[in-house]
Amino acid sequence: MTVRLGNVQGLYAANLSSGTIAELMPCRDTPSKHNSDATLERMARERERITAQIDDLQRARDTLDSMVAVARAHRETLPPPAPAADEPAVSRDSSVRQARVGRTGGP
């Protein structure tokens, strides 16, 4: 693997778009202080963008955590489920027999 390919893969791994990566390539292709400064500035902006996304995701997670806590607390106030004895008893054999009757029209 070439060094350039490794650099590009690293930039993709850092969640940079192909357009942003193209903006950063002059620093690699024609090194200069000007290109280095432009690249450092662009990477700093990308880092700020990613940090803002992380902050948004953390707020979303915190909101979801709160909603889960409210739902759990509400669940605890609900009556217990009705006992299974209230449901009609159907054995496995009778349900299989019913399925066969329904499928073939007879026993």
Side-chain angles (χ1 to χ4, degrees), residues 42-60:
R42 181 65 172 147
M43 287 193 297
R45 286 196 314 269
E46 287 300 310
R47 186 180 189 290
E48 290 171 5
R49 179 188 62 81
I50 291 169
T51 298
Q53 288 178 329
I54 291 169
D55 292 344
D56 289 344
L57 287 169
Q58 287 176 329
R59 277 191 295 278

Side-chain angles (χ1 to χ4, degrees), residues 56-86:
D56 289 344
L57 287 169
Q58 287 176 329
R59 277 191 295 278
R61 183 191 58 203
D62 292 346
T63 299
L64 186 57
D65 286 346
S66 295
M67 294 172 72
V68 166
V70 168
R72 282 188 176 142
H74 174 70
R75 183 182 181 281
E76 293 302 317
T77 67
L78 299 174
D86 291 349

Side-chain angles (χ1 to χ4, degrees), residues 5-18 21 49-50:
L5 179 59
N7 289 342
V8 170
Q9 288 175 336
L11 295 169
Y12 276 120
N15 199 32
L16 273 59
S17 69
S18 57
I21 292 170
R49 179 188 62 81
I50 291 169

